[in-house]
Amino acid sequence: MWSDNETTEDLLGFKVHADLIAEVINDPDLLPITMGIFGDWGSGKSSILKILSNHLKQEEDGTFVLYFNGWLFEGYDDAKAALLESIIKEFEENKRFTPEIKQKAKKLIKSVNWMRILGLGFKNIALPVADAYFTGGVSILPFLAGKLSKIDGSHIIENLQGDGAENFLKSLVEDLPKDDPSMLVREFRENFKELIKESKISKLVIIIDDLDRCQPDRIIENLEAIKLFLNVENTAFIIGADPRIVRHAISHRFKVRDVEPGTTNRVVDDYLEKLIQIPYYLPKLSDSEVETYISLLICKRELDLKIFQKVLDTFNEYREKNRYSVFGLTNIKEVIGPDDYEKLSKSLGSLPALSSIITQSLYGNPRQIKRFLNTFILRNRLAKVANISGFDESVLAKLMILEYTELPLFLKLYEWQSTKEGRPDQILELENKCSEYSETDFKEFLTKGDYSNWNKDKVIQWLKVEPALCEIDLRDYYWISRDNISSTISGASLIPPIIKSTYNKLNQEGLPVKATKAIIKKDVMLLNESELNQFLEFAVAMAQRNQESTLSYKLFQFMIEEGVRGSEESYKYLLNLIDLEKIPPAIGVDLRSLKNNPVLGDFLSELLSTSNSKVAKAFKK
């Protein structure tokens, strides 16, 4: 099994990204700077930031690196103040700094507490002020200290402990000059700048990860803290986030609709450019990188730690010379013994050959690949615990690819094999025709026959990959996967959170049509291509599970009306899979509006013309 946490162990060749970011940070002419390391959920942002942090900490040029998880500030009353305080506390508590520096840091923390009052109101600060007063530490708020010194002590205690503490504190600062808040900001920046200078560090690098897990307001508070208070000379802020989540936070904050970059509404674009000077987008993994990643993950699981380190060193040397080719068994063979090589060969099975399909199915996402492999390992262990004889990991791997790529086809294959003692005639015919025919002829065969749902490039590629399934008894393999067959949507744990949350927003009974279409425009249509494909596949799988739910079909109808890319093809695919008798009759009325649709028109007429189902009758009225 493999951990899903970020790591400094570079199995993806991501060090090149960390090196590039470090090069930018180390250019004094570019400081101060704020960089955004942008990527989708599970793309490897956190691992790159960990590698970067370790790299910078090893430099002996006076660099001071602080690493924060933005999500840690989610529960604070004021995330902005919490971030400021956490950063300054590092100066106060780190052993490398002198007592004088630590004392300056303490004073800065007092300034943060004061700004907390001005920024939040008084209910959230009354208790801390009371505690400070009772313990003799009221000097943490110099302005309040002066005010409190003029009031009878018994009245202070009574007012700070009572229900009117908020109004009491508010009354103390009513005469504060209006420009004092900005003065405090300027003073804080100057003091912070002085703290860095007197600390004798060449640059301060603050890495903030997981910002996209925060609520929208918290995201903006953290970003504004950086720009307003901390972005002074010799500082670099590196922020890891999904850019779409940040864009959503900005649109939420300013109550504007986010649109595609480059269009007329530039509020979100302009604000993001103001906060993030240099955006750096992580690329998705290529087929060769996925194959290499899988090979290294298997090596880590199967090999002794010292031997694996040799493999990793060899991989790093290889990557410096060749960034495009697969680092696989052939390369690994040179640094391991024959016994280990044989063990790896068995463990890898057909996974490398399936890497291109894994890339398409899991969209080159390292987290999804790792979770897929963890499920593969668990099922393989289950086969051993159950003493299944003749079990072939390669067959399991191939079937799981179909399960995660095309769940409806995986379920159809289950139906076929369940009536043929595990050896369905249909898979025999498909594999034979696939090997006999040219690709063009095979696609024509699929179109004209009963296999139109199998007429997809990635499915055809799957059919070609060894091992062939026509001579395999598939019952044991489906027995291992029976949990997904009977109860859940396979691969749900591999669906990015943004896909699930978007679908859940739409999957609400009683949601007005206008609200549904607004969510489609705001959330669905702004997904990138790979995520939109995942969303549509997820919607198809959900609809197949809930065949009698009107809502499942309505969703596709609305997406087609709003012009969502690929929605027509996905709806066609879904209707091909569904038992017409289970589709609610009301959907037939909706389908009538699609009679002239270039993708669905002829298909619907042919599908429903000879059917006596209620949905067909409603369509033909």
Side-chain angles (χ1 to χ4, degrees), residues 131-165:
D131 287 343
Y133 179 79
F134 297 144
T135 58
V138 79
S139 59
I140 63 165
L141 303 172
F143 180 80
L144 282 181
K147 291 284 186 178
L148 291 171
S149 65
K150 300 174 183 178
I151 301 174
D152 182 86
S154 61
H155 290 152
I156 293 173
I157 294 173
E158 180 182 345
N159 284 317
L160 286 177
Q161 286 182 320
D163 294 333

Side-chain angles (χ1 to χ4, degrees), residues 257-258 516-526 562 564:
R257 181 186 160 206
D258 193 10
T516 301
K517 290 189 173 183
I519 294 170
I520 290 173
K521 287 178 181 178
K522 182 181 177 183
D523 296 328
V524 176
M525 296 185 75
L526 292 181
E562 294 303 313
V564 175

Side-chain angles (χ1 to χ4, degrees), residues 211-261:
L211 191 64
D212 46 15
R213 291 194 184 190
C214 301
Q215 293 297 317
D217 288 337
R218 291 295 190 254
I219 292 174
I220 299 301
E221 283 181 19
N222 278 296
L223 291 173
E224 289 186 342
I226 292 168
K227 299 303 289 186
L228 291 175
F229 301 102
L230 303 173
N231 196 22
V232 300
E233 292 177 16
N234 300 322
T235 61
F237 287 83
I238 315 299
I239 299 165
D242 183 329
R244 291 149 315 134
I245 304 298
V246 177
R247 294 181 67 89
H248 171 69
I250 297 169
S251 62
H252 173 82
R253 175 65 169 265
F254 295 101
K255 295 180 173 56
V256 296
R257 181 186 160 206
D258 193 10
V259 294
E260 291 284 1

Side-chain angles (χ1 to χ4, degrees), residues 59 71 132 167 176 202 210 276 288 441 486 505 604 619:
E59 293 185 353
W71 204 18
N167 291 329
L176 190 69
S202 60
D210 277 340
I276 307 292
S288 62
D441 291 341
S486 61
K505 284 181 187 178
L604 289 173
F619 175 78

